[in-house]
Amino acid sequence: MNEPVFHPPVTVALTGASGAQYGLRLIEALVAAGHEVWVMVSKAAHLVIETETDTSLPARPERLAQALRERSGAAEGQIRCFGREDWMAPVASGSGAPSAMVICPCSTGTLSAVATGASNNLIERAADVALKERRQLILVPRETPLSAIHLEHMLNLTRLGAVILPAAPGFYHRPATVDDLVDFIVARILNQLGIEHRLMPRWGE
C-alpha cells in the first residue's frame, strides 16, 4: 500500500500568548489542506491551552503528535512534533527546515527573542533559521496595549522580512460565533501562505 503524499510541510509553533485557539485551528486547517505540519508547543503554551480551551495536550512529542492527529483528523505521519531542545530536529537547520513557519499565537517574549536572535529554544532557533534563509516567517501576536519595545521589535522583524499578523479579527463578515472570529485570522494566515481554503470568502467574493 502506498503511503500518503502530503503537500510541503509548514512549521507551526504555539507560544504562551493568549489565543491558543488560533494555533490549534491553524493546524486543523493545514491538515485539511493536505499539508504536512511540524509542530512545537512551548511550556507556557501548554498552560494557556489548558486555561483557554477544553483541551489538555501531552508534553512528550510522540504523544503530542498523536493527540493532535486525533483532534485534527490527520493521517498517520502528517503531523510531527518536536521538543523544546530537540536540536537535531530538521527545523533547527537551514538544510532541513521547510519554507514556511508560523508562530501562532506569538508571545511578546518570543517576539523579542526572535527579533534579537536569542535562539534559546527550538522555536526561537527555527524562527532564526527562517530569517537567515530568507524563508517565510509569520508571527501572530495577541497583546494589547503595545509598548514601544513591542512595536520596535515588530518593525525590526518586518524589515528582516517577517510578516506581523496581529490576532485582531475584523467584523465586516458579521461573525456569529467565536469560531468565526478565529477563522478570520486563520484565513488571513492561509492567504499569506498561499494555501487555498474555504474558511471565509475573500473581499469582493
Side-chain angles (χ1 to χ4, degrees), residues 144-167:
T144 191
L146 296 168
S147 73
I149 295 173
H150 304 147
L151 293 169
E152 286 172 358
H153 287 324
M154 291 180 188
L155 179 58
N156 288 337
L157 284 166
T158 299
R159 286 172 171 161
L160 291 169
V163 171
I164 306 298
L165 198 158

mmCIF file of all heavy atoms in Angstrom, residues 144-167:
data_model
loop_
_atom_site.group_PDB
_atom_site.id
_atom_site.type_symbol
_atom_site.label_atom_id
_atom_site.label_comp_id
_atom_site.label_asym_id
_atom_site.label_seq_id
_atom_site.Cartn_x
_atom_site.Cartn_y
_atom_site.Cartn_z
ATOM 1 N N THR A 144 -2.223 43.612 24.015
ATOM 2 C CA THR A 144 -2.702 44.989 23.956
ATOM 3 C C THR A 144 -2.712 45.578 25.363
ATOM 4 O O THR A 144 -3.036 44.856 26.312
ATOM 5 C CB THR A 144 -4.112 45.064 23.322
ATOM 6 O OG1 THR A 144 -4.449 46.417 23.051
ATOM 7 C CG2 THR A 144 -5.181 44.438 24.211
ATOM 8 N N PRO A 145 -2.325 46.841 25.531
ATOM 9 C CA PRO A 145 -1.721 47.700 24.513
ATOM 10 C C PRO A 145 -0.301 47.271 24.204
ATOM 11 O O PRO A 145 0.278 46.463 24.924
ATOM 12 C CB PRO A 145 -1.764 49.082 25.163
ATOM 13 C CG PRO A 145 -1.682 48.796 26.634
ATOM 14 C CD PRO A 145 -2.451 47.524 26.852
ATOM 15 N N LEU A 146 0.263 47.836 23.155
ATOM 16 C CA LEU A 146 1.618 47.508 22.752
ATOM 17 C C LEU A 146 2.575 48.596 23.224
ATOM 18 O O LEU A 146 2.317 49.786 23.033
ATOM 19 C CB LEU A 146 1.697 47.382 21.228
ATOM 20 C CG LEU A 146 0.884 46.244 20.615
ATOM 21 C CD1 LEU A 146 0.809 46.411 19.100
ATOM 22 C CD2 LEU A 146 1.479 44.896 20.984
ATOM 23 N N SER A 147 3.671 48.182 23.825
ATOM 24 C CA SER A 147 4.675 49.140 24.275
ATOM 25 C C SER A 147 5.609 49.485 23.116
ATOM 26 O O SER A 147 5.599 48.834 22.061
ATOM 27 C CB SER A 147 5.496 48.553 25.425
ATOM 28 O OG SER A 147 6.384 47.558 24.952
ATOM 29 N N ALA A 148 6.448 50.496 23.328
ATOM 30 C CA ALA A 148 7.436 50.866 22.313
ATOM 31 C C ALA A 148 8.383 49.707 22.039
ATOM 32 O O ALA A 148 8.832 49.509 20.905
ATOM 33 C CB ALA A 148 8.213 52.099 22.763
ATOM 34 N N ILE A 149 8.673 48.913 23.070
ATOM 35 C CA ILE A 149 9.544 47.746 22.889
ATOM 36 C C ILE A 149 8.905 46.769 21.911
ATOM 37 O O ILE A 149 9.554 46.298 20.969
ATOM 38 C CB ILE A 149 9.817 47.063 24.236
ATOM 39 C CG1 ILE A 149 10.617 47.980 25.153
ATOM 40 C CG2 ILE A 149 10.558 45.741 24.023
ATOM 41 C CD1 ILE A 149 10.783 47.439 26.559
ATOM 42 N N HIS A 150 7.623 46.462 22.124
ATOM 43 C CA HIS A 150 6.923 45.539 21.225
ATOM 44 C C HIS A 150 6.923 46.067 19.791
ATOM 45 O O HIS A 150 7.216 45.339 18.834
ATOM 46 C CB HIS A 150 5.474 45.339 21.675
ATOM 47 C CG HIS A 150 5.327 44.869 23.080
ATOM 48 N ND1 HIS A 150 4.258 45.244 23.865
ATOM 49 C CD2 HIS A 150 6.117 44.087 23.849
ATOM 50 C CE1 HIS A 150 4.381 44.683 25.059
ATOM 51 N NE2 HIS A 150 5.510 43.988 25.073
ATOM 52 N N LEU A 151 6.607 47.345 19.647
ATOM 53 C CA LEU A 151 6.500 47.942 18.314
ATOM 54 C C LEU A 151 7.852 47.980 17.610
ATOM 55 O O LEU A 151 7.938 47.736 16.398
ATOM 56 C CB LEU A 151 5.910 49.351 18.429
ATOM 57 C CG LEU A 151 4.453 49.414 18.906
ATOM 58 C CD1 LEU A 151 4.063 50.847 19.243
ATOM 59 C CD2 LEU A 151 3.515 48.839 17.853
ATOM 60 N N GLU A 152 8.904 48.257 18.356
ATOM 61 C CA GLU A 152 10.237 48.276 17.752
ATOM 62 C C GLU A 152 10.649 46.884 17.281
ATOM 63 O O GLU A 152 11.230 46.731 16.200
ATOM 64 C CB GLU A 152 11.252 48.831 18.749
ATOM 65 C CG GLU A 152 11.134 50.339 18.944
ATOM 66 C CD GLU A 152 12.021 50.848 20.069
ATOM 67 O OE1 GLU A 152 12.692 50.020 20.725
ATOM 68 O OE2 GLU A 152 12.031 52.076 20.283
ATOM 69 N N HIS A 153 10.339 45.874 18.085
ATOM 70 C CA HIS A 153 10.649 44.508 17.667
ATOM 71 C C HIS A 153 9.859 44.127 16.415
ATOM 72 O O HIS A 153 10.399 43.484 15.494
ATOM 73 C CB HIS A 153 10.349 43.521 18.796
ATOM 74 C CG HIS A 153 11.328 43.571 19.923
ATOM 75 N ND1 HIS A 153 12.664 43.793 19.742
ATOM 76 C CD2 HIS A 153 11.161 43.408 21.265
ATOM 77 C CE1 HIS A 153 13.295 43.770 20.901
ATOM 78 N NE2 HIS A 153 12.396 43.550 21.846
ATOM 79 N N MET A 154 8.592 44.514 16.365
ATOM 80 C CA MET A 154 7.785 44.217 15.184
ATOM 81 C C MET A 154 8.338 44.908 13.950
ATOM 82 O O MET A 154 8.405 44.315 12.863
ATOM 83 C CB MET A 154 6.328 44.643 15.423
ATOM 84 C CG MET A 154 5.597 43.803 16.442
ATOM 85 S SD MET A 154 3.885 44.389 16.655
ATOM 86 C CE MET A 154 3.393 43.393 18.066
ATOM 87 N N LEU A 155 8.748 46.163 14.097
ATOM 88 C CA LEU A 155 9.314 46.906 12.973
ATOM 89 C C LEU A 155 10.609 46.255 12.500
ATOM 90 O O LEU A 155 10.823 46.073 11.289
ATOM 91 C CB LEU A 155 9.563 48.358 13.374
ATOM 92 C CG LEU A 155 10.176 49.263 12.302
ATOM 93 C CD1 LEU A 155 9.302 49.305 11.062
ATOM 94 C CD2 LEU A 155 10.402 50.663 12.862
ATOM 95 N N ASN A 156 11.473 45.879 13.435
ATOM 96 C CA ASN A 156 12.733 45.236 13.064
ATOM 97 C C ASN A 156 12.493 43.925 12.320
ATOM 98 O O ASN A 156 13.156 43.625 11.326
ATOM 99 C CB ASN A 156 13.588 44.988 14.311
ATOM 100 C CG ASN A 156 14.176 46.259 14.876
ATOM 101 O OD1 ASN A 156 14.325 47.255 14.165
ATOM 102 N ND2 ASN A 156 14.506 46.243 16.155
ATOM 103 N N LEU A 157 11.539 43.134 12.818
ATOM 104 C CA LEU A 157 11.241 41.856 12.171
ATOM 105 C C LEU A 157 10.646 42.060 10.784
ATOM 106 O O LEU A 157 10.958 41.315 9.852
ATOM 107 C CB LEU A 157 10.298 41.033 13.045
ATOM 108 C CG LEU A 157 10.966 40.382 14.256
ATOM 109 C CD1 LEU A 157 9.926 39.880 15.255
ATOM 110 C CD2 LEU A 157 11.865 39.236 13.813
ATOM 111 N N THR A 158 9.800 43.080 10.638
ATOM 112 C CA THR A 158 9.235 43.383 9.324
ATOM 113 C C THR A 158 10.345 43.755 8.351
ATOM 114 O O THR A 158 10.349 43.319 7.193
ATOM 115 C CB THR A 158 8.211 44.522 9.434
ATOM 116 O OG1 THR A 158 7.137 44.119 10.294
ATOM 117 C CG2 THR A 158 7.638 44.876 8.072
ATOM 118 N N ARG A 159 11.301 44.531 8.820
ATOM 119 C CA ARG A 159 12.426 44.917 7.963
ATOM 120 C C ARG A 159 13.286 43.720 7.592
ATOM 121 O O ARG A 159 13.934 43.710 6.532
ATOM 122 C CB ARG A 159 13.268 45.977 8.670
ATOM 123 C CG ARG A 159 12.596 47.352 8.705
ATOM 124 C CD ARG A 159 13.348 48.321 9.563
ATOM 125 N NE ARG A 159 12.831 49.683 9.420
ATOM 126 C CZ ARG A 159 13.045 50.671 10.286
ATOM 127 N NH1 ARG A 159 13.797 50.431 11.372
ATOM 128 N NH2 ARG A 159 12.551 51.863 10.077
ATOM 129 N N LEU A 160 13.296 42.689 8.441
ATOM 130 C CA LEU A 160 14.057 41.479 8.164
ATOM 131 C C LEU A 160 13.308 40.512 7.251
ATOM 132 O O LEU A 160 13.849 39.477 6.861
ATOM 133 C CB LEU A 160 14.402 40.769 9.477
ATOM 134 C CG LEU A 160 15.424 41.484 10.373
ATOM 135 C CD1 LEU A 160 15.477 40.816 11.743
ATOM 136 C CD2 LEU A 160 16.799 41.483 9.723
ATOM 137 N N GLY A 161 12.051 40.833 6.939
ATOM 138 C CA GLY A 161 11.288 40.004 6.011
ATOM 139 C C GLY A 161 10.155 39.215 6.620
ATOM 140 O O GLY A 161 9.411 38.536 5.907
ATOM 141 N N ALA A 162 10.012 39.268 7.942
ATOM 142 C CA ALA A 162 8.909 38.562 8.590
ATOM 143 C C ALA A 162 7.595 39.319 8.368
ATOM 144 O O ALA A 162 7.594 40.516 8.082
ATOM 145 C CB ALA A 162 9.180 38.409 10.081
ATOM 146 N N VAL A 163 6.492 38.602 8.518
ATOM 147 C CA VAL A 163 5.160 39.205 8.450
ATOM 148 C C VAL A 163 4.578 39.235 9.856
ATOM 149 O O VAL A 163 4.520 38.205 10.535
ATOM 150 C CB VAL A 163 4.229 38.402 7.518
ATOM 151 C CG1 VAL A 163 2.789 38.897 7.618
ATOM 152 C CG2 VAL A 163 4.723 38.487 6.082
ATOM 153 N N ILE A 164 4.176 40.417 10.300
ATOM 154 C CA ILE A 164 3.497 40.560 11.590
ATOM 155 C C ILE A 164 2.006 40.602 11.314
ATOM 156 O O ILE A 164 1.508 41.521 10.658
ATOM 157 C CB ILE A 164 3.942 41.844 12.320
ATOM 158 C CG1 ILE A 164 5.463 41.890 12.449
ATOM 159 C CG2 ILE A 164 3.263 41.924 13.687
ATOM 160 C CD1 ILE A 164 6.062 40.768 13.265
ATOM 161 N N LEU A 165 1.296 39.585 11.799
ATOM 162 C CA LEU A 165 -0.133 39.446 11.528
ATOM 163 C C LEU A 165 -0.863 39.377 12.878
ATOM 164 O O LEU A 165 -1.090 38.297 13.407
ATOM 165 C CB LEU A 165 -0.381 38.183 10.697
ATOM 166 C CG LEU A 165 -1.696 38.055 9.943
ATOM 167 C CD1 LEU A 165 -1.560 37.067 8.796
ATOM 168 C CD2 LEU A 165 -2.828 37.626 10.866
ATOM 169 N N PRO A 166 -1.194 40.544 13.448
ATOM 170 C CA PRO A 166 -1.810 40.547 14.785
ATOM 171 C C PRO A 166 -3.144 39.796 14.808
ATOM 172 O O PRO A 166 -3.894 39.806 13.828
ATOM 173 C CB PRO A 166 -2.019 42.042 15.077
ATOM 174 C CG PRO A 166 -1.055 42.740 14.175
ATOM 175 C CD PRO A 166 -0.975 41.899 12.939
ATOM 176 N N ALA A 167 -3.422 39.165 15.917
ATOM 177 C CA ALA A 167 -4.694 38.458 16.090
ATOM 178 C C ALA A 167 -5.783 39.478 16.404
ATOM 179 O O ALA A 167 -6.276 39.587 17.521
ATOM 180 C CB ALA A 167 -4.580 37.420 17.202
#
